[in-house]
Amino acid sequence: MEGYRILEVKQSVFDNNNRAADALREDLKKDRTFLLNLMSSPGSGKTTTLRRTIAALKDEFRIGVMEADIDSDVDAATIEQTGVKVIQLHTGGMCHLDAGMTRQGLEGLGIENVDLAILENIGNLVCPAEFDTGAVKNATILSVPEGHDKPLKYPLMYTVCDALVINKIDVLPYFDFDMEKVVEYARMRNPKIEIFPISAKTGEGVDAWVDWLRRQTNAFIGK
């Protein structure tokens, strides 16, 4: 009796996606377009942070934004008001974007005249972290009301991200949030992660975050 075979389907899916992501990064390098993958849980302030970021950089870079959601176009309508190129991506119920979906989004956006492309990923701390989108850098936002223990509960998100934006520091007095602990926990997962405490509402701390993104973009596109 021959028996049965075991196929590691999930690993195969990841391997195929990783190759597609690497190919996309190569194409982005040729096109001189920097792609940032911005992730977080729902309600962390991604769109508000993105609006602050666009306002600070739109005179320096040609910016395009891809808004990913299971449904609705609320975020795309909000970002359109900033005057940059924007496209809404609907995933049809999927909780993440992979490299193939991201490539489709970039083709729909049109990056011929885009220096800085930003993917606002679906609000979720699990699935988006598992799939390489082909972005040059990954960033995640953690808001103060979510608590300082998230790097312990969702380790992969903080492992794959190059930058952590800690948003809503204006409400620190009202929440039991330990800034030293969240920094410690995040660096347990990723010693090299860059950390930026900000208030997207008031603008406090945003300059440091924007400067990091500016430097990363310039280095990649050779500006």
Side-chain angles (χ1 to χ4, degrees):
M1 188 172 178
E2 187 175 330
Y4 56 85
R5 298 171 61 203
I6 299 175
L7 299 179
E8 299 292 346
V9 176
K10 185 176 181 181
Q11 190 60 48
S12 175
V13 168
F14 285 147
D15 286 345
N16 290 337
N17 183 70
N18 289 342
R19 286 193 291 271
D22 288 339
L24 178 54
R25 270 187 289 273
E26 286 297 318
D27 290 342
L28 289 168
K29 187 67 175 177
K30 293 173 186 174
D31 292 333
R32 298 181 68 185
T33 300
F34 179 93
L35 173 60
L36 175 73
N37 178 25
L38 185 60
M39 299 177 282
S40 78
S41 61
S44 67
K46 280 197 304 297
T47 306
T48 305
T49 301
L50 187 50
R51 291 184 67 182
R52 284 274 185 187
T53 304
I54 291 169
L57 293 175
K58 67 180 182 179
D59 291 336
E60 300 176 45
F61 302 112
R62 298 168 297 178
I63 300 174
V65 175
M66 296 179 289
E67 290 288 347
D69 278 301
I70 292 173
D71 204 349
S72 91
D73 61 352
V74 173
D75 290 340
T78 300
I79 295 301
E80 186 180 33
Q81 297 173 12
T82 67
V84 302
K85 296 177 67 173
V86 61
I87 188 171
Q88 182 74 53
L89 308 179
H90 285 166
T91 64
M94 296 185 70
C95 61
H96 70 275
L97 266 71
D98 60 22
M101 298 174 192
T102 303
R103 185 182 286 276
Q104 288 182 357
L106 289 168
E107 290 171 353
L109 180 67
I111 60 170
E112 297 81 10
N113 297 307
V114 172
D115 304 311
L116 170 59
I118 302 174
L119 168 62
E120 184 177 341
N121 216 317
I122 294 172
N124 186 325
L125 290 178
V126 181
C127 302
E130 293 186 324
F131 287 84
D132 189 344
T133 61
V136 182
K137 295 290 181 180
N138 296 311
T140 187
I141 300 176
L142 169 64
S143 65
V144 166
E146 294 174 73
H148 56 258
D149 59 353
K150 290 299 176 289
L152 298 180
K153 293 183 175 181
Y154 302 95
L156 185 60
M157 176 61 72
Y158 298 88
T159 300
V160 302
C161 280
D162 304 282
L164 165 60
V165 175
I166 302 173
N167 191 24
K168 304 185 183 180
I169 60 172
D170 50 300
V171 298
L172 272 170
Y174 309 105
F175 289 89
D176 184 18
F177 186 93
D178 191 321
M179 187 66 72
E180 290 185 1
K181 284 292 184 184
V182 76
V183 170
E184 176 188 344
Y185 296 155
R187 291 197 167 132
M188 281 171 54
R189 304 306 184 191
N190 182 354
K192 296 182 179 180
I193 197 168
E194 299 271 2
I195 300 175
F196 304 97
I198 74 162
S199 169
K201 180 179 180 180
T202 68
E204 182 182 357
V206 171
D207 286 349
W209 152 249
V210 166
D211 186 58
W212 177 85
L213 184 55
R214 178 187 291 113
R215 287 185 279 107
Q216 300 301 320
T217 303
N218 281 331
F220 188 76
I221 68 176
K223 191 172 179 180

